[in-house]
Amino acid sequence: MSFIDPTEIQKLNHKLTTDLSYLGKLYKSKKNKYHTKTVDISLVDSFIKEGWEEYGKSLKSKAQIRKPKNHSKQFEDDVWCQFYELGYRHMNFDETFYLPFGKSFEEKKQIDIIAIDNETVFLIECKSSDKIKKAPSYKDEFELLGMRLDGFRKSIEQLLGKTLKVKYIFATRNLRINDDDVDLLRLEKTNSFYYNDNTYDYINNLIKNYKNAANYQFLGLVFKNQLINSTKIEVPAVEGEMGGRKYYMFSIEPELLLKMGFILHRTKANESEMPTYQRLLVPSRLKGITKFINDGGYFPNSIILNFSQKKNKIIFEPSSRSGDSSSRFGMLKIPNSYAIAYIIDGQHRLYGYANSDYKNKNTIPVVAFNDLEPIEQLEIFMDINQNQKAVSPSLRLTLEEDLFWDSDRADSRLKALRSSIIKGLSTSFGPLYNKISVGEDSSVLTFTPFASALLNSGLLPIAKGNKFIGNTSACLYNINNHNYNEEMQKAKKDIIQFINLCYEFVEDKYNEIFERDKYFIISNRGTFAYISLIGSLNSFITEKGLVNINSKPKERFNEIEKYLISLLEYLKNITKEEEEKQLSLLGAGADIKWFRFFQTIVNQNHNEYEPTELIDWQERQNEELQEEGRKYGVYIEKHMKKVVLEKIKLLYKENWELEINAIKTSCQARANDENEKNYKEGLDKRVDWTEMFNINDYKKIIENYWTKTPEIESEKINFKTFQDEFSIDIGEGFNSKTERIKWISRFNSYRNMWAHEGTKEKRLNKEEVGFLHKIYQNFNK
């Protein structure tokens, strides 16, 4: 006997459509943020008074008008479109779908959205607000819902003629409902799903990243731990144990695992599952994997997952055990349930099958744990990603193009671009063809100095997150073009061509230099120095206005050619002594020294080329300047010690050591370490704790006793406080104590540059010596 009258079924069917063309037009209309219509030109003014506006081109007798949708209509349309994008092609086409839940005429309820496929039916009610606010009480609605759902299911079964899974969704926008709200508890009791702003955003991201494979994760989210059907999936498996945990090894068709699988994405929609740890898939990578599979490719490594057994439990029925192993063979019975299998590692491989021709034909290997806590899953995920065999730096750099090209972060995309440029230099038929080690292929030049040089050269911008930092005016990458793929391809092409022109010039005109391995051009140090120089010269000609972002690579080369000639002529005629000196430079910093060496040669022949970093470097190599700075530094430190100790002794007499006991203890420990070291080295030398003060010790005493004066009146005469003695204006404010002694911190940061006479790595420039001179003058009036 029918639950509802057949004529009612007919009416409902007329409210649904499977017409793909009509659904497509409806989707386009619902995606539009406006109601639109074409009206007689004479009626436009009356519509404008009602909130409509003209847009587009008007005809002689007709005009196009539009009006923004209100928040309620907009939300319903947005959710309808989301289900369309998830692949549903059997849906309602207007808001007049009234679904019976009882046999009487009055027992029916309007459903905002109904979405149907071969397995599921979603009944969706939408509630929204134009502004974020606390939701009203839905007590009556949810209590009635519990009584109506059984009737809804009977109507759906009669309407569609088959048994489908029916899920009621209560969707809200801009309405706050706390997780522990009694209304949500009422909704959960009906086995319905609450679809809030976080859920909506998450589904949008799934659609964006997973395309038409998003429905698998969506179903797992909505039907989590609910049976797909009552028939268990049975697969042969091996049971083993590691780390105190049982695991199972088996093979399964990807289609089955896609329906059972779930990924713990780091998203607010999965807050109840915290900690979450997975990122959304990279769409381009997913597409590439699908093509790889369809072309006959396969992945022999296993998917790692965890079976969650909150409701439905897996069963292992052993059949045998080998006498040589503690593992055993048997049959693993898996409930055919949504989101029972949490994918820990291998989501790209698994979802690569979603749109593949082989998702029901291939089987994929799986290693499955059982009922791990989310934190344990995270630990396994981290172990897999951190503790596997280290990838070589060169291989890691070559992989960056594939990993980061489509990243949503600018700094990651630039990593990918650098990687792609280096690969292009090696594979394009230019002077560096097959001269660069790419991946596991070895060659005369390694990948790393190219990556470092491109980062240093200014040919590409530098970014932190999505923010570009530093001067980008000379870049061959237009940071204002937000079509990232287009701009990356253009920059790649131009930079490869520009660098190749510079290397071709050496190859053609100075072949004796080019052909010599481990020399000034074809070597790892030479790579960094030469490409960095190319970038520096490019910045120089850009600042002079000789080229701009639109200049062709050949135009850039023509402008820097004379500077390259000066460098190469010098290298061609270099003295034996200078050659040996430069080639003997090894270790960290040798590449920078070669770069400065190249810049210096160009500067000596073209004094208009005088980059600030070269000036700074030359100043730091100036021995007279270093000696001057060292003289000031030594005097300042001696003066600080003399004055600080004199004042603290005068203030506290015989108790001065106790007054600064904490500092004394630290100094004594340093003295003990120094005396032990001298003893072990056979030196008959002992140091007293008073010799072990450092700048920070003086600073602490100055701060702590800033305005302290002697207690004896006669001693106050002519006594200068620490404030009077050590306040120095360095142009960064002179009001607070902090501002008045700010010079001490800067002085301390410079100390290593003058304190160790043998160091060549940390040295002073003219500005820093000028600062020391100012402090010196203050104390040496």
Side-chain angles (χ1 to χ4, degrees), residues 362-419:
N362 283 1
T363 59
I364 52 178
V366 174
V367 172
F369 292 90
N370 186 22
D371 221 17
L372 294 174
E373 292 296 324
I375 190 65
E376 293 178 285
Q377 297 178 56
L378 173 59
E379 287 169 352
I380 292 174
F381 175 81
M382 295 299 291
D383 288 342
I384 289 169
N385 286 276
Q386 290 183 357
N387 295 334
Q388 289 182 345
K389 182 181 177 181
V391 178
S392 69
S394 178
L395 180 56
R396 187 164 57 249
L397 286 167
T398 61
L399 291 173
E400 285 179 346
E401 178 184 12
D402 301 317
L403 290 170
F404 303 127
W405 189 271
D406 295 312
S407 173
D408 55 1
R409 289 174 57 109
D411 53 3
S412 295
R413 291 195 300 273
L414 288 171
K415 279 185 184 179
L417 181 52
R418 289 193 295 271
S419 175

Side-chain angles (χ1 to χ4, degrees), residues 114-146:
I114 178 168
I116 306 157
D117 67 5
N118 292 329
E119 297 180 352
T120 58
V121 179
F122 288 99
L123 308 174
I124 305 147
E125 182 168 359
C126 298
K127 302 285 186 183
S128 70
S129 167
D130 59 340
K131 295 180 180 179
I132 296 174
K133 68 176 187 178
K134 184 178 180 181
S137 173
Y138 296 113
K139 177 179 181 293
D140 294 341
E141 190 159 351
F142 291 163
E143 286 180 346
L144 290 171
L145 176 63

